[in-house]
Amino acid sequence: MESEKTNPSRRMPSLFWSLVPVVALLLAIIGIIVVWGADTAQSVSHYILFGAAVLTALIAIVGYQCSLQRLWLGLRKSAAQILPAIPILVFIATVSATWMMSGVVPALIDYGLELLSPQLFLFIACAICSVVSVISGSSWTTIATIGVALMGIGQVLGFSDGWIAGAIISGAYFGDKMSPLSDTTVLASSSCGVDLFAHIKYIFITTIPSMTIALIVYFIVGQLTPVSVLSHSIEITEHLQASFNITPWVLLIPLLTCVLLLLKLKTVVTLGISTLMGLVGMFVFQPQIVEVLGGGSGVMTDATVVMGVLFTETTVDTGSEMLNSLVATGGVEGMLPTIYLILCSMFFGGMMIGGGMISTITSAFTRRLHSVNSIVSATVGSGLFFNACTADQYLSLILGGNVYKNIYRRNGLEPRLLSRSLEDSISVTSVLIPWNSCGVTQSTVLGVATIAYLPYCLFNWLSPLMTLLVARLCNRYFRKAIFVK
């Protein structure tokens, strides 16, 4: 990478100009939300991100003589972390479509309406997603499968979309944070030089209280939800059973998917196999759906149906307007806006890294850090900032580890404190940022704007607050100079 020695005329950007692209981005998003609403902001976010990236590049090149090579290296660093998510997004779209058309999601909704107590729904939804994500190690897979079904159940029961999505996301990111199979958990520990299970044991201190509070709130909200709004669930169940062949055999598809997760196959492989199982299930369990969609009269016609389900919008007329929107799928085409937004996020993050803006801002964060409280607070603040600027949790974890590792070592603080602070402030908050890859993906999969579910993701915003509280209350227990030889 180009250095100050090889380019002595180049100056690092000032703190003011480093913050200009970030502030411009935030003001643009907030302005659109205020004037036109969260849905509009979601649909134009990629244009805003691209504009912010261009502004960042112009400031770096014109104001600080940053070379194109340096910007290109920043873009490559950002792309190395973000591009691997694109195939996963494509397969998430195909899994969602095939699981719906094969009857998996309709069956889960039907059984859920019969078995789940409405008053306990939010509590149970959060708990189920916690267990599934601990087993799978993936919040994305959990939300794209069981989360979609729970979203449908909650809507039929009458809960607001924000509360349903909040409970699902809280549970999914709890498991993602605690599972030894989670890539973010492994990355957070390894980037700080901490043993994986030592890291998991240490994050219990902040994670368990945060999840306990979240579950209590979800339980109380469920108890306070008026039962009268739940009366139409019987009508929805009747329409489901009239449109889909509801059979327990279709649940073999999610069961086999769980087996694949336990075998620790790569996420793309697991989702690809799940898509194939969903396609087979569509023809085996829902031949009437295939016929309605235009198949059943030849191999070529069936192939057209398959391609349509996988790649384009698919709708089924169930006789219920609410249920029609619930069982409609967008396929890969419906995921394209999300992919565009993630690519623009990658471009913005790359320009911020290559232009030196992130280095300038983190230097300002860390210049006068000495006490435990100030160091942990700066780590949490930096984590949120990295998530907003790089739009990717993996890159944010790597940057956080590199920036703070020496600071924690110099002050005699445990590396476990660093890895936990990064996980609490990055892994679980990425889904709360509308242009972050996690926020974009989960908003698309669940069909709820990031701004709409943000207040209800109790675990996700309690985690960084709990980290700050624990650091303040237990200051003396963190003063272990374990790096002193």
Side-chain angles (χ1 to χ4, degrees):
M1 182 176 290
E2 179 187 20
S3 66
E4 298 298 325
K5 292 182 180 180
T6 59
N7 186 8
S9 64
R10 180 180 181 269
R11 296 176 292 120
M12 292 298 289
S14 66
L15 179 61
F16 172 81
W17 285 108
S18 296
L19 289 172
V20 165
V22 182
V23 174
L25 173 64
L26 293 175
L27 288 178
I29 295 288
I30 292 171
I32 290 175
I33 291 173
V34 171
V35 177
W36 290 291
D39 290 338
T40 301
Q42 200 87 358
S43 63
V44 301
S45 291
H46 54 289
Y47 296 114
I48 299 173
L49 272 168
F50 185 79
V54 172
L55 175 62
T56 305
L58 288 174
I59 292 173
I61 294 172
V62 177
Y64 296 94
Q65 295 80 51
C66 180
S67 68
L68 294 177
Q69 180 187 10
R70 194 176 184 91
L71 292 176
W72 173 247
L73 290 173
L75 183 58
R76 286 178 59 185
K77 188 172 185 179
S78 179
Q81 299 299 324
I82 293 181
L83 286 182
I86 302 300
I88 296 176
L89 290 174
V90 171
F91 278 112
I92 283 176
T94 59
V95 166
S96 297
T98 57
W99 278 34
M100 186 67 73
M101 293 301 121
S102 65
V104 172
V105 174
L108 289 172
I109 292 175
D110 182 74
Y111 295 144
L113 290 174
E114 293 180 5
L115 300 176
L116 291 181
S117 166
Q119 288 78 14
L120 294 176
F121 171 75
L122 293 177
F123 178 91
I124 293 175
C126 184
I128 288 175
C129 288
S130 298
V131 174
V132 173
S133 59
V134 167
I135 294 173
S136 67
S138 172
S139 55
W140 286 30
T141 303
T142 301
I143 293 172
T145 53
I146 190 67
V148 172
L150 289 169
M151 192 75 206
I153 295 172
Q155 289 174 331
V156 173
L157 292 177
F159 289 97
S160 72
D161 288 353
W163 277 111
I164 305 167
I168 292 169
I169 291 171
S170 289
Y173 277 81
F174 167 84
D176 196 341
K177 180 181 174 184
M178 297 296 294
S179 174
L181 304 177
S182 169
D183 45 9
T184 56
T185 304
V186 173
L187 184 59
S189 59
S190 60
S191 63
C192 300
V194 178
D195 175 75
L196 175 60
F197 289 97
H199 166 74
I200 292 174
K201 182 178 179 181
Y202 207 60
I203 59 179
F204 264 85
I205 299 172
T206 56
T207 302
I208 298 305
S210 298
M211 179 51 74
T212 300
I213 294 172
L215 287 172
I216 290 173
V217 173
Y218 290 136
F219 176 82
I220 294 173
V221 171
Q223 298 300 311
L224 297 177
T225 300
V227 178
S228 58
V229 301
L230 310 176
S231 58
H232 64 297
S233 61
I234 296 177
E235 178 186 351
I236 294 296
T237 300
E238 291 175 349
H239 284 293
L240 269 177
Q241 293 174 352
S243 302
F244 292 90
N245 179 24
I246 304 299
T247 168
W249 288 107
V250 78
L251 300 183
L252 284 173
I253 296 173
L255 180 62
L256 291 174
T257 300
C258 289
V259 173
L260 295 176
L261 293 171
L262 291 174
L263 293 175
K264 302 180 183 179
L265 297 179
K266 290 184 177 181
T267 303
V268 171
V269 175
T270 299
L271 293 175
I273 296 174
S274 296
T275 297
L276 290 175
M277 290 191 294
L279 287 174
V280 173
M282 185 172 69
F283 286 92
V284 173
F285 300 115
Q286 312 299 333
Q288 77 284 3
I289 296 293
V290 175
E291 184 175 353
V292 169
L293 295 177
S297 58
V299 174
M300 291 302 296
T301 309
D302 289 345
T304 302
V305 171
V306 168
M307 298 300 288
V309 170
L310 292 179
F311 293 101
T312 62
E313 181 180 353
T314 304
T315 58
V316 175
D317 186 8
T318 63
S320 167
E321 185 176 345
M322 175 186 177
L323 193 55
N324 287 346
S325 62
L326 190 62
V327 301
T329 64
V332 175
E333 184 180 28
M335 188 62 74
L336 288 179
T338 301
I339 294 174
Y340 298 151
L341 182 52
I342 288 178
L343 292 176
C344 291
S345 299
M346 177 190 74
F347 188 34
F348 175 64
M351 295 304 99
M352 288 290 292
I353 295 170
M357 278 72 169
I358 286 184
S359 296
T360 296
I361 296 172
T362 52
S363 295
F365 265 119
T366 61
R367 191 168 296 146
R368 293 187 179 91
L369 298 180
H370 300 290
S371 68
V372 173
N373 291 334
S374 65
I375 292 173
V376 172
S377 298
T379 305
V380 172
S382 297
L384 296 172
F385 170 76
F386 290 149
N387 258 340
C389 287
T390 67
D392 179 71
Q393 59 180 341
Y394 303 109
L395 187 55
S396 298
L397 288 169
I398 293 171
L399 287 172
N402 291 336
V403 168
Y404 283 97
K405 190 182 297 183
N406 289 333
I407 296 174
Y408 276 69
R409 181 184 290 114
R410 185 173 66 242
N411 287 273
L413 301 178
E414 287 206 42
R416 292 185 300 172
L417 177 59
L418 172 58
S419 63
R420 187 184 71 193
S421 299
L422 291 176
E423 185 113 66
D424 282 340
S425 61
I426 294 176
S427 298
V428 297
T429 64
S430 57
V431 72
L432 305 180
I433 298 173
W435 57 88
N436 189 284
S437 57
C438 292
V440 175
T441 301
Q442 309 318 343
S443 173
T444 302
V445 171
L446 296 177
V448 185
T450 309
I451 300 299
Y453 67 61
L454 187 153
Y456 309 103
C457 296
L458 305 181
F459 171 76
N460 300 74
W461 55 259
L462 278 172
S463 290
L465 295 179
M466 192 63 65
T467 290
L468 297 175
L469 178 62
V470 169
R472 183 171 293 276
L473 294 178
C474 306
N475 187 351
R476 57 177 179 164
Y477 296 110
F478 296 146
R479 301 297 298 183
K480 294 183 180 180
I482 62 173
F483 290 103
V484 176
K485 295 182 180 180

